[in-house]
Amino acid sequence: MTIYNFAAGPATLPAPVLQEAQKDLVSYPGSGMSLLEMSHRSKPVQDMIQAAEDDIRALAGIPDNYHIIFLQGGASAQFSMVPMNLLTPGGKADHLVTGNFANLALIDAQKVGDVRVAGSTESTNHDRIPIQDELNLDPDADYVHFTGNNTIYGTEWPREPEVGNVPLVADLSSNIFSKPIDVSKYGLIYAGAQKNLGAAGVTLVLLRDDLLERSPDSLPSMLNYNTHCKGHSAYNTPPVFSIYVLGLVVKWLAQQGGLEQMAAQNEEKATLLYKQLDASEFYRGHAIQGNRSRMNVTFNLPTADLETQFASEATAEGLVELKGHRSVGGIRASIYNAFPKEGVEALVSFMKEFERTNG
Ligand SMILES: *Cc1c(COP(=O)(O)O)cnc(C)c1O
């Protein structure tokens, strides 16, 4: 039986990436050793890291004045690294709170400095994204932080908030490289790899050059972006294997036709599911139309018991990990870049059949 893995992260990886990683695991081409055994100062590893960086720059058209670094500690470590590095003395920042991770980012940033909520969708249980007119932005803020896709609630910013000349900082962990991106609109972007980019253990950070001046010398070395930019992501031992897998995924994305093509495929997959939700009274989507995520499709059934039954019967048919996050319940289908359209079609068929027998 084919297994379709709808997990929210770590998530489905492209099969060719897994096969290549397996093929090269014991003996990395040209070296006779495994990457897992090699010094991060060795030429094969340094070349591999450089190639991953070059491929990311080409894939997303990242301008030369942006650093590309690979860090540890997950996206969650960036919740505090961002304010530690980007808040100026006596400065303040604005956060837009659209879900669980946005809220965790806020909580950590507030431990570091003067950080305000400049927009929130908490009052409607994060079923939407704020509209521009609702934002209460401070033109003197050091930066504005937002979360591009809300993994748990299934909402996604249809476009970046407009923030004038204030640097925009984004957590794009769950929708990076799912569509074309104009990186020049951002001061800093971060993304844990395990949803759209690869295996857990590495976080991609894209950072505009001029912002490096802000980091205070008093920061511990590992928490200062300058350390990692100067050290080309190898100041200390980096997560070599996770960077390698990320590099393979980026190559795979380019082979698929790049970000335009990913956008078309992701739109097509998500539309199949949302059409099914809209065609039925039995299933109720959580997110409002216009703010629906193309990555995480969240919905409810008439009762919690039916939701449990749905997830367990789906599992028996090879459609696994459909249970919603423990904080909101319901059903969540995560369909990132690497998730195949056939899996979405299988879920749509299952939904029709489940409604026919239980509706
Ligand atoms: C999953 C997720 C995180 C948490 O990432 P970790 O790498 O586990 O720290 C943060 N932000 C968003 C938007 C996520 O989807």
Side-chain angles (χ1 to χ4, degrees):
M1 177 169 63
T2 309
I3 299 293
Y4 290 112
N5 173 15
F6 290 89
T12 295
L13 283 163
V17 165
L18 294 175
Q19 281 149 3
E20 184 161 352
Q22 181 190 43
K23 182 167 68 67
D24 293 347
L25 180 66
V26 175
S27 176
Y28 188 65
S31 75
M33 289 180 280
S34 174
L35 267 184
L36 293 169
E37 309 169 302
M38 276 187 239
S39 165
H40 53 293
R41 310 271 173 232
S42 66
K43 185 154 174 14
V45 172
Q46 299 253 302
D47 288 351
M48 180 278 290
I49 294 176
Q50 186 63 48
E53 186 182 320
D54 294 345
D55 289 346
I56 289 168
R57 199 176 292 280
L59 178 77
I62 298 171
D64 289 342
N65 61 327
Y66 284 75
H67 293 270
I68 299 173
I69 50 176
F70 304 109
L71 303 184
Q72 300 192 61
S76 302
Q78 297 308 306
F79 298 166
S80 50
M81 261 181 95
V82 166
M84 284 175 171
N85 284 270
L86 299 191
L87 276 175
T88 58
K92 52 209 159 136
D94 281 341
H95 271 233
L96 306 177
V97 181
T98 51
N100 169 67
F101 291 113
N103 195 45
L104 294 176
L106 171 75
I107 289 168
D108 271 1
Q110 285 180 329
K111 291 176 184 169
V112 178
D114 182 4
V115 173
R116 294 183 327 135
V117 176
S120 171
T121 52
E122 197 183 353
S123 64
T124 56
N125 196 21
H126 300 304
D127 65 347
R128 64 188 189 95
I129 297 297
I131 58 169
Q132 186 68 31
D133 283 352
E134 279 177 87
L135 305 183
N136 180 16
L137 296 169
D138 178 349
D140 295 324
D142 284 333
Y143 62 88
V144 178
H145 180 284
F146 81 108
T147 309
N149 181 79
N150 299 284
T151 327
I152 291 176
Y153 295 92
T155 61
E156 183 174 11
W157 288 75
R159 66 194 69 81
E160 296 89 357
E162 284 162 32
V163 295
N165 290 325
V166 176
L168 188 59
V169 172
D171 175 358
L172 300 187
S173 295
S174 53
N175 65 343
I176 192 161
F177 300 163
S178 65
K179 59 181 177 182
I181 180 168
D182 181 357
V183 172
S184 70
K185 286 185 177 165
Y186 296 80
L188 187 151
I189 293 169
Y190 62 91
Q194 66 274 19
K195 287 161 186 148
N196 265 305
L197 291 179
V202 63
T203 304
L204 175 66
V205 175
L206 312 175
L207 166 62
R208 206 176 65 210
D209 225 342
D210 59 290
L211 294 172
L212 281 172
E213 284 170 18
R214 294 190 185 182
S215 309
D217 289 337
S218 59
L219 283 180
S221 307
M222 280 299 286
L223 301 180
N224 190 321
Y225 290 126
N226 287 272
T227 306
H228 301 287
C229 290
K230 280 197 196 109
H232 293 284
S233 303
Y235 163 75
N236 70 324
T237 317
V240 171
F241 200 76
S242 297
I243 298 172
Y244 161 72
V245 174
L246 194 159
L248 294 180
V249 170
V250 169
K251 278 203 173 69
W252 179 84
L253 290 170
Q255 281 161 8
Q256 299 304 297
L259 301 188
E260 296 277 357
Q261 181 60 23
M262 289 327 295
Q265 290 178 17
N266 286 324
E267 188 68 40
E268 188 186 7
K269 288 185 291 178
T271 301
L272 285 173
L273 276 173
Y274 286 120
K275 261 195 173 157
Q276 184 55 35
L277 294 184
D278 291 341
S280 138
E281 305 269 293
F282 186 68
Y283 300 108
R284 277 172 297 114
H286 178 69
I288 67 164
Q289 298 219 16
N291 293 164
R292 288 166 159 180
S293 168
R294 299 157 309 128
M295 303 282 104
N296 313 96
V297 178
T298 53
F299 56 94
N300 288 90
L301 276 65
T303 67
D305 281 350
L306 277 170
E307 288 164 352
T308 304
Q309 186 190 339
F310 179 96
S312 80
E313 288 183 15
T315 300
E317 298 204 10
L319 308 172
V320 306
E321 301 281 1
L322 281 162
K323 200 164 167 291
H325 189 267
R326 60 190 183 282
S327 63
V328 292
I331 302 294
R332 171 173 57 176
S334 298
I335 50 171
Y336 303 112
N337 283 339
F339 191 91
K341 184 178 158 197
E342 295 73 33
V344 174
E345 289 167 342
L347 176 57
V348 169
S349 305
F350 176 81
M351 287 169 75
K352 287 185 175 146
E353 183 58 19
F354 190 87
E355 179 175 358
R356 198 180 62 76
T357 45
N358 297 282

